[in-house]
Amino acid sequence: MPDPTAQSMQGLSLEDILFREKYLNPDQLSAIKLESINSGRPVEKILVERNLVPVDKITQAKAEILNIPYVKLEGRAIVSDVLNLVPEAAARRYKIIPFEKKGEELWVAMADPLDIQISQFVEKRAGLRVKPFLAQEKDILKAISDQYAQNLTSEVTSALKEVEAVRPEEEVQTGPEVLREAPVSNIIDQLLQYAIKSRASDIHIEPQEDRTRVRYRIDGILQEKILLPKGVHDALVSRIKILSVLKIDEKRLPQDGRFTFTFEKNIVDLRVSTIPTVFGEKVVLRLLPKSTGAPSLLELGIRGSTLKNLETQLLRPHGIILLCGPTGSGKTTTLYSVLSKISSTRVNVVTIEDPVEYQIPGVNQVQVNTTVGLTFASALRSFLRQDPNIIMVGEIRDTETADLAIQAALTGHQVFSTLHTNFAAGAPPRLLDMGVEPFLLTSALNAVLGQRVIRKICPHCRVEFNAPPEVAENIRQVLGKFIPASATSFKLYKGKGCSYCLETGYLGRVGIYEVMPISEQIIKLILEHASVGDIEKEAIAQGMVTIKQDGYLKILEGVTTLEEVLRVAQD
């Protein structure tokens, strides 16, 4: 964008700037100017009513006219010391939020940056010179809810005041018993409690040059929630290492451990991983709730012909069923659901996993331990002497494991495993690339399931709207035979954002799936070393509902949004 000062000196209007930036075409520009003159209404109001230009672009253009910097607050964490300079009540009343402190200057996002009285109030309260920034009113209110209402900032701040004078080496020397009562323990407790309350799956504690950033993965998306002073970082890491029974003095090598945390009625296993970075040790904690049993296949989001195909394959007494998808697509959860469904007192089920994430009643679960030579392949060899009916291999990573899994399937065992391919049709070519013999693969492979995980629309703030014509056309193209030819318009849904979903519009997750049974025609294609595209085309011709189509069907049902499906399932 050109120099704002130069532009404002040229006297450009709001609509002129939007036209210059190509958000308006010549016809729209003329129509808006004419309507504003005839009706006497401001151009901004007309633009918002007609939904011609995104609100954030209008706000940016206003900032340019006023020669005031624009700020987007979404995804920005605010240091607790800065946030506490303005009370929440005042922030809500005046629609402002302080977000950065630079020397003697306090940067404040304001819905009305020209209100001098508000700036004077903040300057008097904070004892700093205010630099106003223009931000969307909605953006400011959401940031206030995120930053103040979560109760994380204020509680961690009070603990920080106590820990400011404590050096990590002093804490370590006092031993675990004293450290348990130290203020740094309160910080860890608050971070973990907030993770449980917000349904986070992971916590990232990341050292940066001048501060420590804490991020939470909520419904699959990383969200920056709090920034801590750099001086407290080593004490936090030391505390987590003691809980995880890791070496406190080893800071040069990655380490893995685990511990259990209890909050109210929630018992959570935490898997801890540390790695050395240039600014210190980064810690990631994976939360594994103990009380959560494996969901049913229906609860996962598998239904219709996809569910029927999968259940048909589960009835076969031997052969391999593979689950495919990128990291974090829910493959392990689906495996656990399948094992919970088919496990009974009449079958012997053994698994080799890295690591064991959930314990399934009645299933013999083994964890990989490479330090003593217990790998997927070595465990699989031993399993065959354990009289198993069903074998689950956490992941096929190499040719040896793939060959052993196929041998197990060919000798009368039911085998389940995962493979890192984007779609179901990519599994056979990947195994052939590993060196598996085509005739053995086609004899052993029963089906391949591809999957992704998407966020669900929050039911508390869900609103309905009509799909724009171009979106409706896209839905018709993707779903084809799954919708009536007469359908010309579609009702879609989205979440406005509320306290239940932390203003994101999404609450919880569900899977989207495709199941590809290995038919005679697909066997022929595998033996011919056909491409992924050819295999997928044949599977679709035989009635396979693709991951993208399953996602679009869930869009029409009001389960999720188009943006969410395209985020994870775009080809």
Side-chain angles (χ1 to χ4, degrees):
M1 192 175 277
D3 175 41
T5 309
Q7 293 297 334
S8 54
M9 284 171 64
Q10 291 170 21
L12 287 181
S13 63
L14 181 68
E15 62 271 29
D16 289 332
I17 293 173
L18 293 170
F19 173 67
R20 184 198 69 202
E21 298 299 326
K22 297 186 171 54
Y23 294 114
L24 292 174
N25 60 40
D27 292 340
Q28 289 171 327
L29 180 66
S30 301
I32 284 164
K33 284 188 173 182
L34 187 62
E35 184 176 341
S36 179
I37 292 166
N38 290 337
S39 65
R41 291 190 305 150
V43 167
E44 183 182 349
K45 197 168 184 182
I46 297 168
L47 288 168
V48 172
E49 280 178 5
R50 291 195 175 191
N51 201 22
L52 288 170
V53 181
V55 178
D56 61 327
K57 302 304 176 188
I58 295 173
T59 311
Q60 282 183 49
K62 279 173 62 181
E64 185 174 323
I65 292 168
L66 298 171
N67 195 21
I68 288 173
Y70 168 81
V71 65
K72 191 170 179 63
L73 296 167
E74 187 181 355
R76 179 191 284 268
I78 300 171
V79 181
S80 52
D81 295 346
V82 172
L83 196 65
N84 292 334
L85 291 172
V86 176
E88 182 183 354
R92 285 192 184 279
R93 182 179 174 187
Y94 298 123
K95 298 181 179 64
I96 62 172
I97 188 165
F99 64 92
E100 192 80 57
K101 182 181 169 187
K102 294 283 185 182
E104 294 301 309
E105 209 170 56
L106 183 64
W107 292 5
V108 183
M110 308 172 74
D112 182 8
L114 298 181
D115 192 325
I116 296 169
Q117 285 185 319
I118 295 175
S119 294
Q120 287 174 341
F121 162 77
V122 176
E123 285 181 349
K124 189 175 179 182
R125 168 104 196 171
L128 297 165
R129 189 172 65 256
V130 165
K131 180 177 181 179
F133 282 71
L134 181 65
Q136 286 181 64
E137 184 177 316
K138 186 179 114 182
D139 205 6
I140 291 171
L141 294 174
K142 183 179 182 300
I144 290 169
S145 296
D146 285 349
Q147 300 293 339
Y148 288 101
Q150 65 192 5
N151 292 326
L152 181 63
T153 304
S154 57
E155 289 164 11
V156 170
T157 303
S158 62
L160 278 172
K161 285 177 184 171
E162 299 176 55
V163 84
E164 275 173 358
V166 180
R167 293 199 303 274
E169 61 270 20
E170 289 176 355
E171 289 221 27
V172 172
Q173 287 166 7
T174 57
E177 292 302 319
V178 177
L179 191 57
R180 255 184 220 112
E181 304 303 322
V184 75
S185 303
N186 298 335
I187 298 175
I188 301 280
D189 284 351
Q190 296 303 333
L191 296 178
L192 293 176
Q193 286 175 24
Y194 181 72
I196 293 168
K197 285 186 216 169
S198 59
R199 315 175 321 280
S201 60
D202 301 84
I203 308 171
H204 292 240
I205 301 172
E206 302 168 305
Q208 297 181 316
E209 189 171 5
D210 56 349
R211 59 185 59 168
T212 291
R213 176 172 70 172
V214 181
R215 294 193 290 172
Y216 291 83
R217 190 175 292 280
I218 301 170
D219 289 336
I221 306 293
L222 271 176
Q223 299 178 22
E224 193 174 277
K225 287 296 179 184
I226 191 166
L227 297 170
L228 299 172
K230 186 65 186 283
V232 80
H233 182 79
D234 286 346
L236 284 179
V237 175
S238 296
R239 174 64 179 151
I240 292 168
K241 283 183 172 181
I242 285 173
L243 291 170
S244 315
V245 198
L246 299 178
K247 295 177 183 175
I248 298 169
D249 55 345
E250 180 53 84
K251 300 183 179 184
R252 299 165 302 167
L253 294 172
Q255 295 188 69
D256 295 302
R258 61 194 308 157
F259 66 95
T260 301
F261 180 76
T262 305
F263 173 59
E264 294 175 351
K265 293 182 180 178
N266 302 287
I267 302 172
V268 179
D269 268 339
L270 288 119
R271 205 171 74 224
V272 180
S273 171
T274 71
I275 59 167
T277 72
V278 290
F279 296 123
E281 285 183 283
K282 175 181 174 178
V283 180
V284 175
L285 300 101
R286 164 67 56 89
L287 283 80
L288 305 166
K290 274 191 172 180
S291 55
T292 308
S296 68
L297 297 178
L298 276 171
E299 287 170 339
L300 287 175
I302 309 176
R303 74 278 166 81
S305 60
T306 303
L307 179 61
K308 186 181 175 185
N309 282 338
L310 179 59
E311 288 182 329
T312 301
Q313 298 303 324
L314 293 179
L315 293 172
R316 298 176 72 172
H318 51 79
I320 293 183
I321 294 178
L322 287 175
L323 277 70
C324 297
T327 302
S329 59
K331 299 187 295 293
T332 306
T333 303
T334 304
L335 269 180
Y336 283 148
S337 298
V338 167
L339 290 182
S340 298
K341 180 180 175 66
I342 61 178
S343 175
S344 72
T345 54
R346 294 181 296 173
V347 292
N348 177 24
V349 185
V350 287
T351 76
I352 175 68
E353 305 170 56
D354 184 20
V356 173
E357 292 195 0
Y358 296 102
Q359 286 154 9
I360 311 170
V363 174
N364 306 287
Q365 295 171 272
V366 178
Q367 178 151 327
V368 165
N369 187 348
T370 51
T371 56
V372 295
L374 181 57
T375 62
F376 283 119
S378 64
L380 203 41
R381 280 197 192 87
S382 302
F383 285 176
L384 296 175
R385 297 189 289 275
Q386 284 279 319
D387 185 30
N389 300 99
I390 298 163
I391 298 171
M392 191 267 266
V393 183
E395 185 185 343
I396 293 178
R397 294 177 180 171
D398 52 46
T399 307
E400 187 182 11
T401 308
D403 286 337
L404 287 166
I406 285 170
Q407 290 301 330
L410 292 173
T411 51
H413 304 92
Q414 199 172 19
V415 180
F416 296 91
S417 191
T418 69
L419 197 64
H420 281 283
T421 63
N422 286 330
F423 298 97
R430 173 65 59 84
L431 289 169
L432 293 178
D433 287 344
M434 282 184 177
V436 174
E437 292 292 345
F439 67 93
L440 292 177
L441 177 60
T442 52
S443 303
L445 192 58
N446 288 345
V448 185
L449 183 147
Q451 70 177 89
R452 297 287 191 282
V453 176
I454 53 173
R455 293 180 291 172
K456 295 195 292 185
I457 297 170
C458 173
H460 303 283
C461 60
R462 193 177 80 154
V463 292
E464 182 185 281
F465 65 98
N466 291 317
E470 62 274 15
V471 173
E473 180 57 33
N474 177 246
I475 290 171
R476 274 193 291 273
Q477 285 178 1
V478 171
L479 289 180
K481 64 181 180 181
F482 295 108
I483 53 172
S486 57
T488 55
S489 62
F490 303 99
K491 294 282 186 189
L492 302 184
Y493 304 84
K494 64 181 179 181
K496 288 192 301 183
C498 64
S499 58
Y500 289 97
C501 60
L502 303 176
E503 303 296 332
T504 62
Y506 296 99
L507 187 65
R509 291 193 287 173
V510 71
I512 49 177
Y513 299 86
E514 62 187 15
V515 171
M516 184 180 78
I518 306 301
S519 63
E520 290 296 326
Q521 293 90 336
I522 289 176
I523 285 175
K524 187 179 174 188
L525 289 173
I526 294 171
L527 292 172
E528 292 170 355
H529 289 261
S531 68
V532 173
D534 290 340
I535 294 173
E536 184 172 66
K537 202 178 293 180
E538 179 59 38
I540 292 169
Q542 292 177 24
M544 180 180 82
V545 179
T546 67
I547 286 175
K548 194 171 183 180
Q549 287 172 333
D550 190 29
Y552 272 56
L553 290 169
K554 286 183 168 80
I555 291 168
L556 295 182
E557 291 168 13
V559 174
T560 190
T561 63
L562 178 64
E563 294 80 8
E564 189 63 13
V565 172
L566 293 178
R567 179 177 70 84
V568 300
Q570 187 66 289
D571 298 338

